[in-house]
Amino acid sequence: MGKTPTRCGSPAYSRRVPGVFGRVLVVDDNKVIRQLIKVNLELEGFEVVTASDGAECLEIVHQVCPDVITLDVVMPRLDGLSTAARLRSDPRTRHLPVAIVSACTQYEVESGLAAGVDAFLSKPFEPAELVRLVRRLADQEEPPSADGRYAAGYGRPARGVPPTP
């Protein structure tokens, strides 16, 4: 039997499931890099789904319901910064933690921050750094309430929602 599909809008896995840290959508046009990231995250207990560019990411993100998304910057069809901006503009995905895993210029970092990217990891990277980054992003993600806000004191505020004092 297959797995029961998870519902979007809530974490892909309850934190109570032993040995599973969450689901990561890895987006990179380089097959070798995708596989490297996938293997390293799976070894640490993450479920990993991959996409070869930003357009494919946007096609599958609602089916996959990831807890974290990693994006390369330079990709065909739709680059990582444009993908991040589209994820942030969609109410269904604006709360998802997004990390850029790429050899970024200062301009790309500034553009990524403006698009709402949560973290950056430069290529080449140490696998342990990647795992720490993804784990940190997965741990801070909390499901938003029906109005898109996070419960007071938990996680980070939803995009565009000021933190409660």
PDB file of all heavy atoms in Angstrom, residues 51-76:
ATOM      1  N   ALA A  51      12.999  18.531  -8.374  1.00  0.00           N
ATOM      2  CA  ALA A  51      12.504  19.173  -9.593  1.00  0.00           C
ATOM      3  C   ALA A  51      13.708  19.738 -10.328  1.00  0.00           C
ATOM      4  O   ALA A  51      14.700  20.126  -9.702  1.00  0.00           O
ATOM      5  CB  ALA A  51      11.519  20.279  -9.251  1.00  0.00           C
ATOM      6  N   SER A  52      13.625  19.785 -11.654  1.00  0.00           N
ATOM      7  CA  SER A  52      14.779  20.199 -12.451  1.00  0.00           C
ATOM      8  C   SER A  52      14.835  21.693 -12.751  1.00  0.00           C
ATOM      9  O   SER A  52      15.829  22.174 -13.273  1.00  0.00           O
ATOM     10  CB  SER A  52      14.835  19.412 -13.762  1.00  0.00           C
ATOM     11  OG  SER A  52      13.660  19.642 -14.503  1.00  0.00           O
ATOM     12  N   ASP A  53      13.775  22.437 -12.446  1.00  0.00           N
ATOM     13  CA  ASP A  53      13.815  23.893 -12.615  1.00  0.00           C
ATOM     14  C   ASP A  53      12.628  24.514 -11.886  1.00  0.00           C
ATOM     15  O   ASP A  53      11.775  23.811 -11.338  1.00  0.00           O
ATOM     16  CB  ASP A  53      13.839  24.300 -14.094  1.00  0.00           C
ATOM     17  CG  ASP A  53      12.636  23.840 -14.880  1.00  0.00           C
ATOM     18  OD1 ASP A  53      11.532  23.734 -14.308  1.00  0.00           O
ATOM     19  OD2 ASP A  53      12.783  23.592 -16.089  1.00  0.00           O
ATOM     20  N   GLY A  54      12.592  25.833 -11.881  1.00  0.00           N
ATOM     21  CA  GLY A  54      11.548  26.535 -11.160  1.00  0.00           C
ATOM     22  C   GLY A  54      10.148  26.264 -11.681  1.00  0.00           C
ATOM     23  O   GLY A  54       9.191  26.193 -10.907  1.00  0.00           O
ATOM     24  N   ALA A  55      10.014  26.108 -12.986  1.00  0.00           N
ATOM     25  CA  ALA A  55       8.691  25.829 -13.565  1.00  0.00           C
ATOM     26  C   ALA A  55       8.156  24.492 -13.051  1.00  0.00           C
ATOM     27  O   ALA A  55       6.989  24.381 -12.666  1.00  0.00           O
ATOM     28  CB  ALA A  55       8.767  25.844 -15.090  1.00  0.00           C
ATOM     29  N   GLU A  56       9.016  23.482 -13.018  1.00  0.00           N
ATOM     30  CA  GLU A  56       8.600  22.179 -12.494  1.00  0.00           C
ATOM     31  C   GLU A  56       8.280  22.275 -11.003  1.00  0.00           C
ATOM     32  O   GLU A  56       7.318  21.669 -10.524  1.00  0.00           O
ATOM     33  CB  GLU A  56       9.675  21.123 -12.740  1.00  0.00           C
ATOM     34  CG  GLU A  56       9.241  19.730 -12.324  1.00  0.00           C
ATOM     35  CD  GLU A  56      10.290  18.650 -12.568  1.00  0.00           C
ATOM     36  OE1 GLU A  56      11.415  18.963 -13.034  1.00  0.00           O
ATOM     37  OE2 GLU A  56       9.980  17.485 -12.266  1.00  0.00           O
ATOM     38  N   CYS A  57       9.050  23.062 -10.269  1.00  0.00           N
ATOM     39  CA  CYS A  57       8.784  23.276  -8.840  1.00  0.00           C
ATOM     40  C   CYS A  57       7.368  23.800  -8.649  1.00  0.00           C
ATOM     41  O   CYS A  57       6.609  23.276  -7.829  1.00  0.00           O
ATOM     42  CB  CYS A  57       9.799  24.270  -8.276  1.00  0.00           C
ATOM     43  SG  CYS A  57       9.427  24.884  -6.616  1.00  0.00           S
ATOM     44  N   LEU A  58       6.999  24.827  -9.404  1.00  0.00           N
ATOM     45  CA  LEU A  58       5.676  25.419  -9.251  1.00  0.00           C
ATOM     46  C   LEU A  58       4.570  24.467  -9.691  1.00  0.00           C
ATOM     47  O   LEU A  58       3.456  24.539  -9.177  1.00  0.00           O
ATOM     48  CB  LEU A  58       5.595  26.733 -10.034  1.00  0.00           C
ATOM     49  CG  LEU A  58       6.520  27.846  -9.526  1.00  0.00           C
ATOM     50  CD1 LEU A  58       6.417  29.067 -10.421  1.00  0.00           C
ATOM     51  CD2 LEU A  58       6.233  28.195  -8.076  1.00  0.00           C
ATOM     52  N   GLU A  59       4.885  23.559 -10.622  1.00  0.00           N
ATOM     53  CA  GLU A  59       3.897  22.571 -11.072  1.00  0.00           C
ATOM     54  C   GLU A  59       3.597  21.537  -9.986  1.00  0.00           C
ATOM     55  O   GLU A  59       2.478  21.072  -9.877  1.00  0.00           O
ATOM     56  CB  GLU A  59       4.401  21.839 -12.326  1.00  0.00           C
ATOM     57  CG  GLU A  59       4.425  22.695 -13.571  1.00  0.00           C
ATOM     58  CD  GLU A  59       5.179  22.029 -14.721  1.00  0.00           C
ATOM     59  OE1 GLU A  59       5.524  20.825 -14.630  1.00  0.00           O
ATOM     60  OE2 GLU A  59       5.438  22.727 -15.718  1.00  0.00           O
ATOM     61  N   ILE A  60       4.608  21.183  -9.182  1.00  0.00           N
ATOM     62  CA  ILE A  60       4.431  20.070  -8.241  1.00  0.00           C
ATOM     63  C   ILE A  60       4.341  20.475  -6.778  1.00  0.00           C
ATOM     64  O   ILE A  60       3.991  19.650  -5.937  1.00  0.00           O
ATOM     65  CB  ILE A  60       5.547  19.009  -8.411  1.00  0.00           C
ATOM     66  CG1 ILE A  60       6.910  19.557  -7.981  1.00  0.00           C
ATOM     67  CG2 ILE A  60       5.576  18.468  -9.821  1.00  0.00           C
ATOM     68  CD1 ILE A  60       8.002  18.499  -7.914  1.00  0.00           C
ATOM     69  N   VAL A  61       4.630  21.725  -6.443  1.00  0.00           N
ATOM     70  CA  VAL A  61       4.712  22.114  -5.030  1.00  0.00           C
ATOM     71  C   VAL A  61       3.422  21.829  -4.270  1.00  0.00           C
ATOM     72  O   VAL A  61       3.465  21.412  -3.111  1.00  0.00           O
ATOM     73  CB  VAL A  61       5.147  23.593  -4.882  1.00  0.00           C
ATOM     74  CG1 VAL A  61       4.066  24.559  -5.366  1.00  0.00           C
ATOM     75  CG2 VAL A  61       5.536  23.892  -3.433  1.00  0.00           C
ATOM     76  N   HIS A  62       2.269  21.988  -4.894  1.00  0.00           N
ATOM     77  CA  HIS A  62       1.001  21.764  -4.187  1.00  0.00           C
ATOM     78  C   HIS A  62       0.695  20.279  -4.022  1.00  0.00           C
ATOM     79  O   HIS A  62      -0.041  19.897  -3.116  1.00  0.00           O
ATOM     80  CB  HIS A  62      -0.141  22.481  -4.900  1.00  0.00           C
ATOM     81  CG  HIS A  62       0.099  23.957  -4.999  1.00  0.00           C
ATOM     82  ND1 HIS A  62       0.183  24.777  -3.893  1.00  0.00           N
ATOM     83  CD2 HIS A  62       0.322  24.757  -6.069  1.00  0.00           C
ATOM     84  CE1 HIS A  62       0.430  26.017  -4.288  1.00  0.00           C
ATOM     85  NE2 HIS A  62       0.517  26.027  -5.596  1.00  0.00           N
ATOM     86  N   GLN A  63       1.265  19.448  -4.875  1.00  0.00           N
ATOM     87  CA  GLN A  63       1.101  17.996  -4.732  1.00  0.00           C
ATOM     88  C   GLN A  63       2.058  17.449  -3.677  1.00  0.00           C
ATOM     89  O   GLN A  63       1.717  16.549  -2.922  1.00  0.00           O
ATOM     90  CB  GLN A  63       1.367  17.291  -6.062  1.00  0.00           C
ATOM     91  CG  GLN A  63       0.426  17.691  -7.165  1.00  0.00           C
ATOM     92  CD  GLN A  63       0.999  17.385  -8.548  1.00  0.00           C
ATOM     93  OE1 GLN A  63       2.110  16.875  -8.674  1.00  0.00           O
ATOM     94  NE2 GLN A  63       0.241  17.704  -9.575  1.00  0.00           N
ATOM     95  N   VAL A  64       3.257  18.004  -3.637  1.00  0.00           N
ATOM     96  CA  VAL A  64       4.319  17.527  -2.760  1.00  0.00           C
ATOM     97  C   VAL A  64       4.134  18.016  -1.329  1.00  0.00           C
ATOM     98  O   VAL A  64       4.437  17.297  -0.374  1.00  0.00           O
ATOM     99  CB  VAL A  64       5.694  17.986  -3.315  1.00  0.00           C
ATOM    100  CG1 VAL A  64       6.813  17.709  -2.340  1.00  0.00           C
ATOM    101  CG2 VAL A  64       5.961  17.330  -4.649  1.00  0.00           C
ATOM    102  N   CYS A  65       3.647  19.237  -1.149  1.00  0.00           N
ATOM    103  CA  CYS A  65       3.463  19.854   0.175  1.00  0.00           C
ATOM    104  C   CYS A  65       4.734  19.774   1.018  1.00  0.00           C
ATOM    105  O   CYS A  65       4.750  19.181   2.104  1.00  0.00           O
ATOM    106  CB  CYS A  65       2.297  19.215   0.906  1.00  0.00           C
ATOM    107  SG  CYS A  65       0.743  19.337   0.036  1.00  0.00           S
ATOM    108  N   PRO A  66       5.835  20.390   0.544  1.00  0.00           N
ATOM    109  CA  PRO A  66       7.097  20.284   1.288  1.00  0.00           C
ATOM    110  C   PRO A  66       7.101  21.132   2.554  1.00  0.00           C
ATOM    111  O   PRO A  66       6.304  22.057   2.707  1.00  0.00           O
ATOM    112  CB  PRO A  66       8.118  20.823   0.278  1.00  0.00           C
ATOM    113  CG  PRO A  66       7.338  21.814  -0.526  1.00  0.00           C
ATOM    114  CD  PRO A  66       5.955  21.219  -0.645  1.00  0.00           C
ATOM    115  N   ASP A  67       8.024  20.799   3.448  1.00  0.00           N
ATOM    116  CA  ASP A  67       8.274  21.599   4.642  1.00  0.00           C
ATOM    117  C   ASP A  67       9.344  22.647   4.372  1.00  0.00           C
ATOM    118  O   ASP A  67       9.387  23.671   5.052  1.00  0.00           O
ATOM    119  CB  ASP A  67       8.735  20.699   5.796  1.00  0.00           C
ATOM    120  CG  ASP A  67       7.642  19.745   6.213  1.00  0.00           C
ATOM    121  OD1 ASP A  67       6.562  20.217   6.602  1.00  0.00           O
ATOM    122  OD2 ASP A  67       7.856  18.526   6.149  1.00  0.00           O
ATOM    123  N   VAL A  68      10.233  22.384   3.407  1.00  0.00           N
ATOM    124  CA  VAL A  68      11.328  23.282   3.024  1.00  0.00           C
ATOM    125  C   VAL A  68      11.546  23.124   1.527  1.00  0.00           C
ATOM    126  O   VAL A  68      11.393  22.028   0.980  1.00  0.00           O
ATOM    127  CB  VAL A  68      12.641  22.928   3.767  1.00  0.00           C
ATOM    128  CG1 VAL A  68      13.800  23.804   3.308  1.00  0.00           C
ATOM    129  CG2 VAL A  68      12.471  23.028   5.277  1.00  0.00           C
ATOM    130  N   ILE A  69      11.938  24.228   0.869  1.00  0.00           N
ATOM    131  CA  ILE A  69      12.301  24.189  -0.550  1.00  0.00           C
ATOM    132  C   ILE A  69      13.711  24.735  -0.688  1.00  0.00           C
ATOM    133  O   ILE A  69      14.032  25.785  -0.129  1.00  0.00           O
ATOM    134  CB  ILE A  69      11.333  25.039  -1.404  1.00  0.00           C
ATOM    135  CG1 ILE A  69       9.902  24.502  -1.286  1.00  0.00           C
ATOM    136  CG2 ILE A  69      11.783  25.070  -2.867  1.00  0.00           C
ATOM    137  CD1 ILE A  69       8.849  25.373  -1.943  1.00  0.00           C
ATOM    138  N   THR A  70      14.568  24.007  -1.430  1.00  0.00           N
ATOM    139  CA  THR A  70      15.890  24.537  -1.784  1.00  0.00           C
ATOM    140  C   THR A  70      15.878  24.839  -3.280  1.00  0.00           C
ATOM    141  O   THR A  70      15.349  24.059  -4.069  1.00  0.00           O
ATOM    142  CB  THR A  70      17.040  23.559  -1.458  1.00  0.00           C
ATOM    143  OG1 THR A  70      16.971  22.428  -2.305  1.00  0.00           O
ATOM    144  CG2 THR A  70      17.014  23.143   0.005  1.00  0.00           C
ATOM    145  N   LEU A  71      16.454  25.979  -3.651  1.00  0.00           N
ATOM    146  CA  LEU A  71      16.464  26.424  -5.038  1.00  0.00           C
ATOM    147  C   LEU A  71      17.862  26.797  -5.486  1.00  0.00           C
ATOM    148  O   LEU A  71      18.579  27.496  -4.760  1.00  0.00           O
ATOM    149  CB  LEU A  71      15.591  27.675  -5.206  1.00  0.00           C
ATOM    150  CG  LEU A  71      14.103  27.580  -4.928  1.00  0.00           C
ATOM    151  CD1 LEU A  71      13.493  28.981  -4.862  1.00  0.00           C
ATOM    152  CD2 LEU A  71      13.430  26.752  -6.005  1.00  0.00           C
ATOM    153  N   ASP A  72      18.236  26.363  -6.680  1.00  0.00           N
ATOM    154  CA  ASP A  72      19.416  26.889  -7.353  1.00  0.00           C
ATOM    155  C   ASP A  72      18.989  28.231  -7.946  1.00  0.00           C
ATOM    156  O   ASP A  72      17.796  28.490  -8.113  1.00  0.00           O
ATOM    157  CB  ASP A  72      19.855  25.914  -8.449  1.00  0.00           C
ATOM    158  CG  ASP A  72      21.168  26.293  -9.109  1.00  0.00           C
ATOM    159  OD1 ASP A  72      21.928  27.104  -8.533  1.00  0.00           O
ATOM    160  OD2 ASP A  72      21.431  25.788 -10.213  1.00  0.00           O
ATOM    161  N   VAL A  73      19.933  29.097  -8.288  1.00  0.00           N
ATOM    162  CA  VAL A  73      19.569  30.379  -8.894  1.00  0.00           C
ATOM    163  C   VAL A  73      19.464  30.245 -10.403  1.00  0.00           C
ATOM    164  O   VAL A  73      18.432  30.545 -10.992  1.00  0.00           O
ATOM    165  CB  VAL A  73      20.572  31.494  -8.515  1.00  0.00           C
ATOM    166  CG1 VAL A  73      20.308  32.755  -9.324  1.00  0.00           C
ATOM    167  CG2 VAL A  73      20.464  31.805  -7.029  1.00  0.00           C
ATOM    168  N   VAL A  74      20.515  29.773 -11.049  1.00  0.00           N
ATOM    169  CA  VAL A  74      20.539  29.729 -12.517  1.00  0.00           C
ATOM    170  C   VAL A  74      19.969  28.406 -13.000  1.00  0.00           C
ATOM    171  O   VAL A  74      20.568  27.344 -12.787  1.00  0.00           O
ATOM    172  CB  VAL A  74      21.980  29.927 -13.048  1.00  0.00           C
ATOM    173  CG1 VAL A  74      22.001  29.861 -14.565  1.00  0.00           C
ATOM    174  CG2 VAL A  74      22.556  31.241 -12.550  1.00  0.00           C
ATOM    175  N   MET A  75      18.766  28.485 -13.595  1.00  0.00           N
ATOM    176  CA  MET A  75      18.091  27.292 -14.130  1.00  0.00           C
ATOM    177  C   MET A  75      17.332  27.691 -15.383  1.00  0.00           C
ATOM    178  O   MET A  75      16.947  28.851 -15.533  1.00  0.00           O
ATOM    179  CB  MET A  75      17.093  26.722 -13.093  1.00  0.00           C
ATOM    180  CG  MET A  75      17.721  26.217 -11.818  1.00  0.00           C
ATOM    181  SD  MET A  75      16.508  25.490 -10.690  1.00  0.00           S
ATOM    182  CE  MET A  75      15.623  26.932 -10.122  1.00  0.00           C
ATOM    183  N   PRO A  76      17.097  26.721 -16.272  1.00  0.00           N
ATOM    184  CA  PRO A  76      16.314  27.023 -17.476  1.00  0.00           C
ATOM    185  C   PRO A  76      14.838  27.243 -17.125  1.00  0.00           C
ATOM    186  O   PRO A  76      14.402  26.901 -16.026  1.00  0.00           O
ATOM    187  CB  PRO A  76      16.492  25.773 -18.334  1.00  0.00           C
ATOM    188  CG  PRO A  76      16.801  24.681 -17.374  1.00  0.00           C
ATOM    189  CD  PRO A  76      17.544  25.332 -16.242  1.00  0.00           C
TER     190      PRO A  76
END
